[in-house]
Amino acid sequence: MNHLLSDRINNLSTSQTLAMAALARELKAQGKDIISLSLGEPDFNTPDFVKAAAKKAIDENYSTYSPVEGYLELKEAICRKFKRDNNLDYKPNNIVVSTGAKQSLYNIAQVMLNDGDEVILPAPYWVSYYEIIKMAGGIPIEVPTSVESDFKITPDQLEKAITPKTKMIWYSSPCNPSGSVYNRDELTALAKSSKNTRTSLSFLTKSTNISTFLELFAALLPFQECSKEPSRSTALQKRSL
């Protein structure tokens, strides 16, 4: 143990992702044919139009500190995307731009978790979740899944995992790393199961599919609050993060 560092840091585990990546590089250097499933990197180079936009930003002096929540022009573009692709009406003050999902998850853990708060983690989950929760003083509660359940948590498992100390459940859909996707019926069943307890539970989803995210919150809302298009519900927007 390094006594120069805080107990908080010393109690964190080494990143399994980085350890796997280092081992893969070591084996490749030995001439072995390795397919690395560690770091989530694409198998193609950065597209030319993205490179050109980055160069243009430098030429236009986008080189000072940006607003914490993101540039207004960028947030307006995200609002247009939501309207164009998902028929969702959002304003720039509803949008926060981060450097990535891990930063957002870390920020949320720091502002929502107190020491001893429990966070339910359906396994498998991305390895960073566990350590992010620990660093915020929370207690990760793993709930195992299997290939028989398509690596999805069941309502019965969720209800049994909830205690008076439960603060949140973290999950991703599509799941990283299993690839499983919860459908609306499954999310509705989980939401109903959480309502059977007396614990106020926050669902936090890391999703690349906006419809999956909206289906969860539609399931969590009382049915009378949802219109035929729950994504357009004002109540839904107010209760989503």
Side-chain angles (χ1 to χ4, degrees), residues 11-104:
N11 288 332
L12 294 180
S13 301
T14 301
S15 169
Q16 299 174 52
T17 307
L18 296 181
M20 287 176 61
L23 179 59
R25 286 192 293 266
E26 180 182 333
L27 294 174
K28 285 182 180 179
Q30 297 173 9
K32 297 181 179 179
D33 185 14
I34 299 297
I35 298 176
S36 177
L37 301 178
S38 55
L39 297 173
E41 294 181 321
D43 58 355
F44 55 87
N45 294 324
T46 302
D48 289 339
F49 76 92
V50 176
K51 296 177 184 177
K55 295 172 185 175
K56 184 172 182 288
I58 294 173
D59 291 338
E60 294 181 356
N61 297 314
Y62 278 84
S63 54
T64 58
Y65 286 114
S66 63
V68 173
E69 74 279 7
Y71 286 109
L72 176 60
E73 302 95 320
L74 175 56
K75 297 198 294 180
E76 289 174 340
I78 293 171
C79 291
R80 291 194 296 272
K81 182 272 176 198
F82 279 149
K83 182 63 177 178
R84 181 191 68 228
D85 297 347
N86 310 104
N87 198 29
L88 299 174
D89 295 306
Y90 282 96
K91 295 181 173 60
N93 62 357
N94 301 131
I95 306 296
V96 174
V97 180
S98 73
T99 58
K102 285 186 182 180
Q103 183 210 337
S104 292

Side-chain angles (χ1 to χ4, degrees), residues 120-126 141-146 149 151-153 157 170 175 177-178 182:
I120 296 172
L121 289 177
Y125 51 85
W126 191 239
I141 305 297
E142 293 187 12
V143 178
T145 63
S146 65
S149 64
F151 299 108
K152 299 175 186 178
I153 190 175
Q157 284 181 299
W170 286 20
C175 176
S178 73
Y182 288 86

Side-chain angles (χ1 to χ4, degrees), residues 123-172:
Y125 51 85
W126 191 239
V127 292
S128 300
Y129 293 1
Y130 198 97
E131 302 304 321
I132 288 173
I133 292 165
K134 280 172 52 180
M135 200 167 188
I139 301 174
I141 305 297
E142 293 187 12
V143 178
T145 63
S146 65
V147 66
E148 287 76 19
S149 64
D150 195 21
F151 299 108
K152 299 175 186 178
I153 190 175
T154 66
D156 183 60
Q157 284 181 299
L158 175 59
E159 193 165 345
K160 288 179 179 178
I162 295 174
T163 74
K165 293 183 178 180
T166 304
K167 187 69 171 285
M168 309 167 94
I169 174 173
W170 286 20
Y171 83 103
S172 58

Side-chain angles (χ1 to χ4, degrees), residues 16 18 22 72 88 101 112 120 196 210 212 226 237:
Q16 299 174 52
L18 296 181
L72 176 60
L88 299 174
M112 291 189 67
I120 296 172
N196 291 336
I210 189 67
T212 301
C226 294
Q237 289 187 359

